[in-house]
Amino acid sequence: MAGSALKRLMAEYKQLTVNPPEGIIAGPVNEENFFEWEALITGPEGTCFEGGVFQTELKFPTDYPLNPPKMRFKTEMFHPNIYADGRVCISILHAPGDDPMGYESSAERWSPVQSVEKILLSVISMLAEPNDESGANVDASKMWRDDREKFYRIAGELVRKSLSL
């Protein structure tokens, strides 16, 4: 299975280098191991993350694309859908099939038709439009709902910090 996963990851990497989406740079940490990637994501325009450059890592399972990678921000983030340790909580990265909690439909969850590019574009969308109903960071979710100005201030500080690294 790892052979087909490697072939798929190599093809996706080639596609990302030939036709990179705006605001994203991504690829393997080194060409000896295509199962660990890093990506730089720029904050979406018109949001409190605008102008920031955020470093992430993706770790792919050997049965990719049957199962999704794990994704984590290495840059400190304050966002309703990002855990304090940087792990990303977004439907597209949840295992395929029915949600045991009944919150997500199977169509929202991972499927083998997804790709690294679609994941990263979904994360940019998530930065722009947090889902405070399914908060990985309860404090950020509550602040997003109740005190948007304070949320913007904290996020803005982290954007500035991301640029000084």
Side-chain angles (χ1 to χ4, degrees), residues 115-126:
S115 65
V116 175
E117 179 178 358
K118 288 179 185 173
I119 293 166
L120 296 171
L121 290 171
S122 293
V123 169
I124 288 174
S125 179
M126 174 201 77

Side-chain angles (χ1 to χ4, degrees), residues 4-18:
S4 59
L6 178 60
K7 191 179 287 188
R8 167 80 179 254
L9 287 167
M10 290 173 81
E12 289 192 41
Y13 176 54
K14 182 177 181 183
Q15 178 63 29
L16 283 169
T17 56
V18 170

Side-chain angles (χ1 to χ4, degrees), residues 68-81:
K70 304 278 188 234
M71 184 174 181
R72 185 178 79 81
F73 275 88
K74 295 173 83 174
T75 307
E76 185 180 359
M77 297 295 285
F78 186 72
H79 188 281
N81 308 116

Side-chain angles (χ1 to χ4, degrees), residues 41 49 54-56 71-90 123-124 126-128 130-131 134-141 151 158:
I41 297 173
F49 298 101
F54 307 103
Q55 186 178 10
T56 68
M71 184 174 181
R72 185 178 79 81
F73 275 88
K74 295 173 83 174
T75 307
E76 185 180 359
M77 297 295 285
F78 186 72
H79 188 281
N81 308 116
I82 301 172
Y83 289 98
D85 67 0
R87 287 178 296 136
V88 176
C89 181
I90 188 172
V123 169
I124 288 174
M126 174 201 77
L127 289 175
N131 177 0
S134 173
N137 181 326
V138 176
D139 293 336
S141 294
F151 179 90
L158 294 175

Side-chain angles (χ1 to χ4, degrees), residues 50-64:
E50 182 176 1
V53 178
F54 307 103
Q55 186 178 10
T56 68
E57 66 181 16
L58 294 108
K59 295 187 177 186
F60 296 88
T62 57
D63 65 350
Y64 179 80

